[in-house]
Amino acid sequence: MNIQFRPKLIDTLRGYDRGQFSGDLSAGITVGVLALPLAMAFAIASGMSPTAGIWTAIVAGFLISALGGSRVQIGGPTGAFIPIIYAIVVDYGVQNLLIATMMSGVMLLAMGAFRLGSMIRFIPLSVVIGFTNGIAVVIFVSQIKDFLGLRVDSLPGEFFGKMEALYRALPTLDGATLALSCASLAVLLGWNRLAKEVAWMRRLPGPLAVLVIATAVNAFILLPVDTIGSRFGGIPRELPDIGLPALSFGLLGKLIAPALTIALLGAIESLLSARIADSQIDDRHDPNQELMAQGIANVAAPLFGGFAATGAIARTATNVRTGGRTPVAGIIHAGVLLTIVLALAPLASHIPLATLSAIVVVVAVNMGEWHAFAPKELARYSTAYRTILLATFFVTVVFDLTLAVELGMALASLFFIYRMSDLTRIERLPLEDFYGVEALARPDGTPRILAYRLTGSLFFGAANKLENLLLMQDGHPDAVILDLEKVISVDTTGLDILQTLQRNLARRGATLILCDLNEQPGSLIRRSGFADRLGEENIAGNLTDALLRAQTVMPRNPGVSYV
């Protein structure tokens, strides 16, 4: 296997100049500052410590930019991972989450090495929208506890159990927390709206602005709300201990499914982010190199206490808007985060959890494509599209993402098989119009030659199309011609049907003749040895040659001309 490992950074450094560095520096600082509140908020919502989120952004962000296949991709923890990470933490614990993350990294690395990056695009849009909107709902629900200040020891990972626990905890609603959450939400939404019109506000990301304001207010007034300091003891002003997480061999088998979920979602989100960025900078990313970088990042991040990371669409878009054009911007973003941790970590103790919750709520609302659920929008598409979209969304919310993607892909495959089967047709050719009825029938009226034209794909989903031929409901001729000019492909099930038809005809003393084989059907028929059993003389170039061959194998009818 020829593994190609060539980070985009190598290509972009050729001719790199001061002007490019200036743009990358500005973008890297902006994105680094933006990443700080998001990394902490996503980590807390996932059931992890804010420190874990920050080090995920630093380590994974650096590696994804340095080794990735995109010029402008920014990596780190994302909102899409919140329900997955939270469920793994609840079911298996933090240490096993780190192991599952490293396993997903190995899977991503293998996907890139085996050049499977382009296959991620085979996932239907209906499945992507369904689970993306479902994840947004799950994220929103996960923030109700901190947004309202509810006193709940731990929330179950299962949807109905979580809703029941939140309902029972409603009497513990904290007024001060709710007021701060609403105020933070209002400031964030107002800032984002005003930033479109006020130039200086665009330089300070909304999440950072509301975080600074709320933290400053809380530091001076000491609001009676939960903070990073009260719940997590603050953020250490030092490098984390580097080491492997505790490994439990008995749980490795059970962690394969969670690891596969992390890998699949990470691959989808990172490549989707890279594709969006390509359209903004008129470039083309290398999907396989990007997957390998994502894999390395997810293996490395848990060594520093971090967890799953992928390409972040919002931070990548911010990087592009603020002038980032090479992976250097992403590397600077990681350096900015590291500097903030080492220099300003003590101030993080005053950050209110209600403000971080408000930030995540806005992220959840913005990540969903809610217009896709509008009745007029749904009416534009087929029943299959609507079924896949709504089923994937429902299962994502009520059960989990793994099952939702599996169900969505299964439904998409079934609908595709049905559609392809419906497009596969077989029709009898009216040879009597050209050769006369008496030339094609025996004295008793039974046919001498039958000819059929197949259209579409002869595969397992269309096997029933040849049942009438297998039963010989049109009679028992001396020769049967199959015109395959409009057959684009034949799979092994289709080949088996042809072989069965040939054997049935041979037992009756009749001959099967194929004509107009396209490249793929012809290749399979010859590679399988069926052409040898059928006889090359019974594989004709066109229908006329097939009819001439059929006349040579049927008994002669005295007094009738066949030419």
Side-chain angles (χ1 to χ4, degrees):
M1 179 182 64
N2 183 22
I3 298 177
Q4 298 180 358
F5 189 89
R6 187 178 179 82
K8 191 68 99 173
L9 178 64
I10 296 176
D11 298 326
T12 57
L13 287 180
R14 294 177 180 173
Y16 192 76
D17 55 28
R18 182 178 298 178
Q20 287 180 305
F21 177 74
S22 177
D24 288 338
L25 179 62
S26 174
I29 293 174
T30 302
V31 178
V33 170
L34 170 64
L36 179 66
L38 294 179
M40 291 190 293
F42 293 152
I44 294 171
S46 301
M48 301 291 288
S49 70
T51 304
I54 293 174
W55 283 104
T56 300
I58 293 172
V59 177
F62 171 80
L63 292 173
I64 289 172
S65 293
L67 304 178
S70 170
R71 295 171 63 96
V72 293
Q73 181 87 285
I74 302 295
T78 65
F81 276 128
I82 289 176
I84 299 171
I85 302 303
Y86 184 85
I88 297 174
V89 170
V90 170
D91 294 338
Y92 301 101
V94 172
Q95 290 298 309
N96 287 309
L97 164 67
L98 303 184
I99 295 172
T101 300
M102 297 181 76
M103 292 171 63
S104 73
V106 174
M107 294 177 185
L108 285 165
L109 185 60
M111 290 168 63
F114 285 100
R115 310 193 67 75
L116 301 180
S118 59
M119 296 190 67
I120 299 298
R121 300 181 182 180
F122 293 167
I123 298 178
L125 181 63
S126 53
V127 175
V128 174
I129 294 177
F131 77 65
T132 300
N133 286 10
I135 288 172
V137 172
V138 175
I139 293 172
F140 183 88
V141 170
S142 71
Q143 294 308 297
I144 294 176
K145 171 179 173 288
D146 286 335
F147 195 91
L148 302 180
L150 303 181
R151 300 301 172 187
V152 183
D153 293 334
S154 62
L155 285 175
E158 189 266 329
F159 176 76
F160 292 109
K162 184 180 299 182
M163 296 305 295
E164 182 182 1
L166 291 171
Y167 177 76
R168 290 181 176 179
L170 280 178
T172 66
L173 183 148
D174 183 73
T177 299
L178 178 59
L180 181 58
S181 297
C182 293
S184 300
L185 187 62
V187 171
L188 180 55
L189 295 176
W191 189 281
N192 290 340
R193 179 169 297 182
L194 289 174
K196 298 177 181 179
E197 302 175 1
V198 182
W200 70 267
M201 295 181 70
R202 287 196 292 269
R203 298 171 187 170
L204 184 62
L208 180 65
V210 71
L211 185 71
V212 171
I213 294 172
T215 303
V217 171
N218 185 53
F220 286 106
I221 302 179
L222 295 179
L223 298 172
V225 296
D226 286 340
T227 65
I228 286 181
S230 65
R231 184 177 295 184
F232 300 101
I235 296 176
R237 191 177 178 179
E238 58 187 14
L239 296 176
D241 295 330
I242 302 175
L244 288 170
L247 180 62
S248 173
F249 290 100
L251 280 175
L252 280 181
K254 296 180 179 180
L255 293 176
I256 292 178
L260 183 60
T261 303
I262 294 173
L264 180 62
L265 180 59
I268 294 172
E269 187 169 7
S270 64
L271 296 184
L272 178 61
S273 173
R275 287 179 63 186
I276 294 173
D278 284 350
S279 65
Q280 295 175 327
I281 63 173
D282 192 23
D283 191 45
R284 184 177 179 84
H285 72 281
D286 182 345
N288 299 306
Q289 182 63 41
E290 187 64 26
L291 288 183
M292 286 190 282
Q294 299 284 339
I296 294 171
N298 279 281
V299 170
L303 300 177
F304 294 80
F307 54 98
T310 185
I313 296 175
R315 274 160 277 172
T316 298
T318 302
N319 181 38
V320 173
R321 287 198 305 268
T322 52
R325 289 297 180 271
T326 76
V328 173
I331 295 173
I332 293 174
H333 131 272
V336 169
L337 278 171
L338 178 61
T339 302
I340 292 174
V341 170
L342 297 180
L344 304 176
L347 298 178
S349 297
H350 298 289
I351 296 176
L353 298 182
T355 299
L356 293 178
S357 179
I359 293 173
V360 176
V361 166
V362 173
V363 170
V365 173
N366 290 338
M367 74 180 293
E369 297 187 40
W370 309 113
H371 67 278
F373 287 165
K376 289 184 179 180
E377 184 71 13
L378 289 174
R380 295 171 52 196
Y381 298 100
S382 65
T383 301
Y385 174 90
R386 295 193 295 268
T387 301
I388 296 169
L389 173 67
L390 296 177
T392 304
F393 171 78
F394 176 79
V395 175
T396 299
V397 174
V398 176
F399 297 102
D400 63 75
L401 176 65
T402 306
L403 181 60
V405 173
E406 291 173 351
L407 176 64
M409 291 299 294
L411 287 174
S413 300
L414 289 174
F415 281 120
F416 176 76
I417 291 170
Y418 175 79
R419 179 60 177 158
M420 290 299 296
S421 174
D422 192 50
L423 293 175
T424 301
R425 303 181 183 279
I426 180 170
E427 58 178 331
R428 183 173 173 181
L429 299 177
L431 299 179
E432 295 88 347
D433 295 346
F434 302 97
Y435 292 91
V437 175
E438 70 280 3
L440 297 169
R442 300 187 184 92
D444 60 1
T446 57
R448 289 177 174 274
I449 303 175
L450 289 175
Y452 300 89
R453 175 174 288 124
L454 272 67
T455 303
S457 179
L458 187 55
F459 72 117
F460 65 91
N464 62 324
K465 300 291 183 176
L466 292 182
E467 284 183 354
N468 291 343
L469 283 185
L470 293 175
L471 297 174
M472 298 311 302
Q473 292 184 358
D474 291 333
H476 299 282
D478 298 316
V480 172
I481 299 172
L482 293 184
D483 183 352
L484 304 182
E485 181 183 9
K486 296 184 178 180
V487 174
I488 58 176
S489 68
V490 176
D491 71 355
T492 52
T493 301
L495 177 65
D496 182 68
I497 295 171
L498 294 177
Q499 292 174 328
T500 301
L501 177 62
Q502 188 268 334
R503 289 193 298 268
N504 290 350
L505 291 173
R507 283 196 293 267
R508 298 186 176 98
T511 302
L512 174 65
I513 302 172
L514 306 180
C515 69
D516 278 317
L517 295 181
N518 288 310
E519 182 178 356
Q520 190 278 333
S523 174
L524 179 62
I525 286 172
R526 288 182 169 84
R527 285 186 288 108
S528 65
F530 179 48
D532 296 331
R533 294 189 294 274
L534 185 65
E536 284 291 341
E537 67 277 9
N538 292 323
I539 300 178
N542 53 55
L543 182 59
T544 301
D545 292 342
L547 287 168
L548 291 174
R549 171 59 183 165
Q551 293 171 15
T552 65
V553 299
M554 68 181 186
R556 305 301 292 175
N557 188 359
V560 176
S561 173
Y562 297 96
V563 295

